[in-house]
């Protein structure tokens, strides 16, 4: 315990967690929504199949017991596993109101938006409407995440 100017005991600096703001609660919900939309986007891309997007890759990747769609399924499963880890690296620290989770979220989300805009162009040029629509939804959620993350109330809730 420390004492303030009047000699009364107070909390040790840095030990108290700031109150969880509405902005932080919204950011946590948007993180989960972005994860769900990302998984749906991976499924939509698996439906199209990797052979239509990247010819020749179907021979490089195969999953035993998955005829035809093996490469797309393998990439989708790997993508979902990696995505789960990356979202966990952001969500759990944010839930604990740790600023490094917020910074990591900003970096990951910014890179995701840039990559998804590129994916969107590939899908539209290739005439793949389903993955294009799911990618538009993902970009929208992630841009909203970035906007909410930039609010002062979110930063005030982090330590």
């Amino acid at each position: 315990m420390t004492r303030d100017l009047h000699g009364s005991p107070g909390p040790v600096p840095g030990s108290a967690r700031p109150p969880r703001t509405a902005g932080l609660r919204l950011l946590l919900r948007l993180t989960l929504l972005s994860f769900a939309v990302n998984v749906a986007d991976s499924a939509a891309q698996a439906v199209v199949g990797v052979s239509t997007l990247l010819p020749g890759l179907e021979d490089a990747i195969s999953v035993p017991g998955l005829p035809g769609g093996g490469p797309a399924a393998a990439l989708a499963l790997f993508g979902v596993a990696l995505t789960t880890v990356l979202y966990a690296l952001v969500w759990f620290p944010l839930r604990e109101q740790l600023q490094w989770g917020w910074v990591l979220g900003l970096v990951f989300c910014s890179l995701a938006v840039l990559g998804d805009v590129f994916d969107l162009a590939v899908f539209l040029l290739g005439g793949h409407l389903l993955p294009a629509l799911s990618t538009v939804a993902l970009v929208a959620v992630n841009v909203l995440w970035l906007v909410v993350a930039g609010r002062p109330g979110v930063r005030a809730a982090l330590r």
Side-chain angles (χ1 to χ4, degrees), residues 48-61 71 75 122 126 128:
V48 168
V50 78
S51 61
T52 60
L53 298 175
L54 302 169
L57 191 59
E58 62 273 358
D59 296 330
I61 302 170
L75 282 178
V122 169
H128 302 290

Side-chain angles (χ1 to χ4, degrees), residues 4 25 33 44 66 68 83-84 96-97 101 105 110 114 119 124 128 134 137 144 150 156-157:
D4 64 10
R25 287 190 299 273
L33 177 62
L66 291 177
T83 298
T84 302
E96 296 301 317
Q97 297 175 253
S110 298
L114 291 174
D119 285 347
L124 291 176
H128 302 290
S134 64
L144 182 59

Side-chain angles (χ1 to χ4, degrees), residues 34-104:
S34 177
F35 174 69
V37 173
N38 199 315
V39 170
D41 185 52
S42 294
Q45 290 179 30
V47 166
V48 168
V50 78
S51 61
T52 60
L53 298 175
L54 302 169
L57 191 59
E58 62 273 358
D59 296 330
I61 302 170
S62 64
V63 176
L66 291 177
L75 282 178
L77 288 174
F78 176 76
V80 168
L82 181 62
T83 298
T84 302
V85 170
L86 295 178
Y87 274 91
L89 282 172
V90 173
W91 193 81
F92 286 107
L94 272 179
R95 186 185 68 175
E96 296 301 317
Q97 297 175 253
L98 300 174
Q99 188 170 11
W100 67 267
W102 175 78
V103 171
L104 203 57

Side-chain angles (χ1 to χ4, degrees), residues 90-142:
V90 173
W91 193 81
F92 286 107
L94 272 179
R95 186 185 68 175
E96 296 301 317
Q97 297 175 253
L98 300 174
Q99 188 170 11
W100 67 267
W102 175 78
V103 171
L104 203 57
L106 287 174
V107 171
F108 288 165
C109 195
S110 298
L111 291 173
V113 167
L114 291 174
D116 290 337
V117 167
F118 176 77
D119 285 347
L120 182 60
V122 169
F123 295 141
L124 291 176
L125 290 173
H128 302 290
L129 189 58
L130 179 63
L133 290 174
S134 64
T135 302
V136 166
L138 184 57
V139 168
V141 170
N142 285 341

